[in-house]
Amino acid sequence: MYRDRYVFIGGALIYALGMIMFSSMSTFWGFSAAIIVFTLAELMSAGPQQAFVARLAPQEMRGQYFAAASLRFTLGRTIAPLSIPLTGWLGFKWTFALLALLAVIAAVIYNMMFNRLKETSGVVHE
Protein backbone atom coordinates (compact mmCIF):
# COMPACT_ATOMS: atom_id res chain seq x y z
CA MET A 1 0.00 0.00 0.00
CA TYR A 2 1.27 3.46 -0.86
CA ARG A 3 1.90 5.82 1.99
CA ASP A 4 -0.77 8.48 2.43
CA ARG A 5 1.77 11.25 1.99
CA TYR A 6 2.66 10.17 -1.53
CA VAL A 7 -0.93 9.49 -2.56
CA PHE A 8 -2.08 12.95 -1.43
CA ILE A 9 0.90 14.83 -2.82
CA GLY A 10 0.94 12.77 -6.01
CA GLY A 11 -2.78 13.33 -6.51
CA ALA A 12 -2.36 17.10 -6.18
CA LEU A 13 0.53 17.10 -8.64
CA ILE A 14 -1.43 14.99 -11.11
CA TYR A 15 -4.29 17.50 -10.78
CA ALA A 16 -1.76 20.18 -11.75
CA LEU A 17 -0.65 18.12 -14.73
CA GLY A 18 -4.28 17.69 -15.78
CA MET A 19 -4.83 21.45 -15.62
CA ILE A 20 -1.77 22.13 -17.75
CA MET A 21 -2.94 19.48 -20.23
CA PHE A 22 -6.39 21.10 -20.45
CA SER A 23 -4.82 24.43 -21.33
CA SER A 24 -2.64 23.06 -24.09
CA MET A 25 -4.93 20.57 -25.85
CA SER A 26 -6.92 21.40 -28.95
CA THR A 27 -8.09 18.01 -30.21
CA PHE A 28 -10.68 15.52 -29.04
CA TRP A 29 -7.98 13.00 -28.13
CA GLY A 30 -5.96 15.62 -26.30
CA PHE A 31 -8.93 16.64 -24.18
CA SER A 32 -9.73 12.97 -23.61
CA ALA A 33 -6.20 12.41 -22.32
CA ALA A 34 -6.50 15.45 -20.04
CA ILE A 35 -9.81 14.13 -18.69
CA ILE A 36 -8.21 10.74 -18.00
CA VAL A 37 -5.33 12.38 -16.10
CA PHE A 38 -7.74 14.59 -14.17
CA THR A 39 -9.94 11.57 -13.31
CA LEU A 40 -6.90 9.64 -12.11
CA ALA A 41 -6.07 12.51 -9.76
CA GLU A 42 -9.63 12.51 -8.46
CA LEU A 43 -9.53 8.77 -7.83
CA MET A 44 -6.19 9.11 -6.08
CA SER A 45 -7.51 11.69 -3.65
CA ALA A 46 -11.20 11.13 -2.90
CA GLY A 47 -11.17 7.58 -1.53
CA PRO A 48 -7.84 7.68 0.29
CA GLN A 49 -8.84 10.98 1.92
CA GLN A 50 -11.91 9.35 3.46
CA ALA A 51 -9.87 6.37 4.68
CA PHE A 52 -7.20 8.68 6.10
CA VAL A 53 -9.74 10.76 8.01
CA ALA A 54 -11.42 7.61 9.35
CA ARG A 55 -8.07 6.35 10.69
CA LEU A 56 -7.02 9.71 12.09
CA ALA A 57 -10.26 10.86 13.74
CA PRO A 58 -11.25 9.82 17.25
CA GLN A 59 -14.55 7.92 17.21
CA GLU A 60 -16.50 10.68 19.00
CA MET A 61 -15.25 13.42 16.63
CA ARG A 62 -15.39 11.56 13.33
CA GLY A 63 -18.27 13.67 11.95
CA GLN A 64 -16.40 16.91 12.60
CA TYR A 65 -13.25 15.55 10.97
CA PHE A 66 -15.19 14.46 7.87
CA ALA A 67 -16.87 17.87 7.70
CA ALA A 68 -13.49 19.61 7.87
CA ALA A 69 -12.10 17.27 5.20
CA SER A 70 -15.00 18.11 2.88
CA LEU A 71 -13.98 21.78 2.96
CA ARG A 72 -11.57 20.93 0.14
CA PHE A 73 -14.48 20.21 -2.17
CA THR A 74 -16.48 23.17 -0.89
CA LEU A 75 -13.58 25.52 -1.55
CA GLY A 76 -13.14 24.05 -5.02
CA ARG A 77 -16.83 24.57 -5.82
CA THR A 78 -16.52 28.15 -4.59
CA ILE A 79 -13.46 28.94 -6.69
CA ALA A 80 -14.61 27.10 -9.85
CA PRO A 81 -17.12 29.75 -11.04
CA LEU A 82 -14.38 32.38 -10.78
CA SER A 83 -12.44 30.60 -13.52
CA ILE A 84 -14.97 31.73 -16.14
CA PRO A 85 -14.36 35.49 -15.76
CA LEU A 86 -10.65 34.80 -15.13
CA THR A 87 -10.48 33.23 -18.58
CA GLY A 88 -11.73 36.51 -20.05
CA TRP A 89 -9.31 38.61 -18.01
CA LEU A 90 -6.17 36.45 -18.06
CA GLY A 91 -6.75 34.17 -21.01
CA PHE A 92 -7.34 30.45 -21.23
CA LYS A 93 -3.75 29.27 -20.68
CA TRP A 94 -3.05 31.63 -17.77
CA THR A 95 -6.26 30.65 -16.00
CA PHE A 96 -5.38 26.98 -16.16
CA ALA A 97 -1.78 27.76 -15.16
CA LEU A 98 -3.15 29.54 -12.08
CA LEU A 99 -5.35 26.53 -11.26
CA ALA A 100 -2.33 24.24 -11.71
CA LEU A 101 -0.38 26.49 -9.35
CA LEU A 102 -3.14 26.12 -6.74
CA ALA A 103 -2.83 22.33 -7.06
CA VAL A 104 0.95 22.55 -6.56
CA ILE A 105 0.37 24.74 -3.50
CA ALA A 106 -2.00 22.04 -2.21
CA ALA A 107 0.81 19.48 -2.63
CA VAL A 108 3.12 21.70 -0.56
CA ILE A 109 0.44 22.08 2.13
CA TYR A 110 -0.07 18.28 2.20
CA ASN A 111 3.67 17.85 2.68
CA MET A 112 3.67 20.35 5.55
CA MET A 113 0.65 18.61 7.08
CA PHE A 114 2.30 15.20 7.00
CA ASN A 115 5.54 16.62 8.43
CA ARG A 116 3.61 18.16 11.28
CA LEU A 117 1.59 14.99 11.83
CA LYS A 118 4.81 12.98 12.03
CA GLU A 119 6.30 15.46 14.53
CA THR A 120 3.27 15.52 16.81
CA SER A 121 2.41 11.83 16.76
CA GLY A 122 5.80 10.27 16.12
CA VAL A 123 4.05 7.82 13.79
CA VAL A 124 4.33 7.68 10.03
CA HIS A 125 0.81 7.17 8.69
CA GLU A 126 0.74 4.57 5.97
Side-chain angles (χ1 to χ4, degrees):
M1 180 177 167
Y2 291 79
R3 292 175 52 181
D4 291 324
R5 170 189 294 265
Y6 301 117
V7 172
F8 281 50
I9 293 171
L13 294 175
I14 292 174
Y15 267 123
L17 175 63
M19 289 295 176
I20 295 299
M21 288 176 71
F22 270 115
S23 73
S24 60
M25 298 300 170
S26 61
T27 66
F28 170 78
W29 295 112
F31 280 115
S32 295
I35 289 169
I36 289 169
V37 169
F38 200 77
T39 302
L40 174 65
E42 184 69 28
L43 291 173
M44 282 181 71
S45 59
Q49 176 188 351
Q50 299 298 320
F52 177 75
V53 171
R55 280 194 317 270
L56 186 66
Q59 184 71 28
E60 66 277 0
M61 296 183 69
R62 202 162 272 175
Q64 292 174 355
Y65 275 60
F66 277 112
S70 73
L71 286 175
R72 175 181 139 222
F73 297 108
T74 303
L75 184 60
R77 288 185 194 113
T78 302
I79 293 173
L82 297 175
S83 64
I84 296 169
L86 270 178
T87 302
W89 297 328
L90 300 177
F92 189 72
K93 286 191 182 261
W94 283 108
T95 299
F96 278 93
L98 179 62
L99 294 173
L101 177 65
L102 289 175
V104 170
I105 290 170
V108 170
I109 291 171
Y110 281 137
N111 188 52
M112 291 170 28
M113 176 195 73
F114 279 105
N115 287 341
R116 180 157 182 153
L117 182 62
K118 184 178 177 182
E119 289 171 6
T120 58
S121 69
V123 176
V124 176
H125 291 271
E126 296 186 23

